[in-house]
Amino acid sequence: MSRPPLTFAPHHSTLIAPYMPPSPSPSSHPRKPHTTLTFATSLDSNLALSPGTQTPLSGPLSKALTHYLRSRHTAILIGVGTAIADDPSLNCRIAGVALEHQPRPVVLDPHGRWPISATSSVVQLAREGQGRAPWIITCRELEAEKREVVESVGGQVFVVSPPPPPKFPLATPISWPHILALLSTHGITSLMIEGGGTVINTLLHPNNMALVDSVIVTIAPVWLGRGGVQVCPEARADEHGAKVPVSRLRDVQWVPLGEDVVLCGRPAGRG
Ligand SMILES: NC(=O)C1=CN([C@@H]2O[C@H](COP(=O)(O)OP(=O)(O)OC[C@H]3O[C@@H](n4cnc5c(N)ncnc54)[C@H](O)[C@@H]3O)[C@@H](O)[C@H]2O)C=CC1
Ligand SMILES: Nc1nc(O)c(N)c(N[C@@H]2O[C@H](COP(=O)(O)O)[C@@H](O)[C@H]2O)n1
């Protein structure tokens, strides 16, 4: 599993320093990790050309920045839709990054859909010492072979019973506070959430957005067209039924990197 190392210019780290997780202190036990929502979109707010496919959007500089972000978080979370579509590596490929600075890949797979096997990228990389072994958060016991693959490289499967959601029994089976508390209990102090569409759109809901500390979005100068995987959360209305914005960022900085621009901010309404 050899993919070329990325080159990261260290001075680029100063541009995003205010949005990075604080250094963990041994005496503090936060209820949730510092949470960064980060992804790459096109000008028409698409993550990919079509569902189930992977579309490269980031240029080399913004991609290296994403990998630097990976090295600054203790875990990186994706939904199972992304795991199936991309078979991602989820490691930091900046040359010279030690295993202790590699993030823990976490996959949300409530119904056990991910066909994880010995040839999955995260499994191979963990075996080769180039990434950490994956954790899977699920609502049902996995097939024995899948659990064995995960555990053979030192990963873990967390079977959780989600509290019964009143309205959307299948849309969001595990609440985000529950997911973040679980990860915090297992030593995750900073979490980078990379996607995909379903994960991002539900986190942009105001109820969940308060859990997000930083947002870092790479915007690539390309339109992908209709029918893609879109970042577009559910609309929101006030008490009179009039539409209002869903979420907004404050403390915003736009960082040009090559042909892309990287938008950094914090959800408005947070202290
Ligand atoms: N451009 C970019 O930066 C990125 C692009 N992508 C793209 O996004 C696409 C995948 O997106 P989607 O199909 O929307 O899938 P997704 O990756 O958002 O996964 C959705 C699935 O995750 C699980 N899930 C989500 N929230 C959950 C929760 N709160 N509790 C329990 N389970 C939960 C559910 O099984 C749900 O069906 C792919 O095309 C991929 O290439 C993915 C990540 C980043
Ligand atoms: N930052 C960024 N830019 C893009 O253009 C992308 N398509 C993505 N996708 C995310 O990165 C994962 C792939 O990671 P590996 O290179 O395999 O480690 C993919 O699964 C998405 O989460 N990100």
Side-chain angles (χ1 to χ4, degrees), residues 3 40 54-58 66 70 82 86 88-90 93 194:
R3 292 169 78 182
Q54 183 177 35
T55 304
L57 290 168
S58 303
T66 300
R70 289 180 175 184
T82 299
D86 298 356
S89 298
L90 302 178
R93 293 194 292 280
E194 277 205 359

Side-chain angles (χ1 to χ4, degrees), residues 86-110:
D86 298 356
D87 183 24
S89 298
L90 302 178
N91 64 345
C92 170
R93 293 194 292 280
I94 296 172
V97 168
L99 184 58
E100 62 176 316
H101 294 299
Q102 290 289 352
R104 168 77 60 192
V106 179
V107 177
L108 274 185
D109 186 11

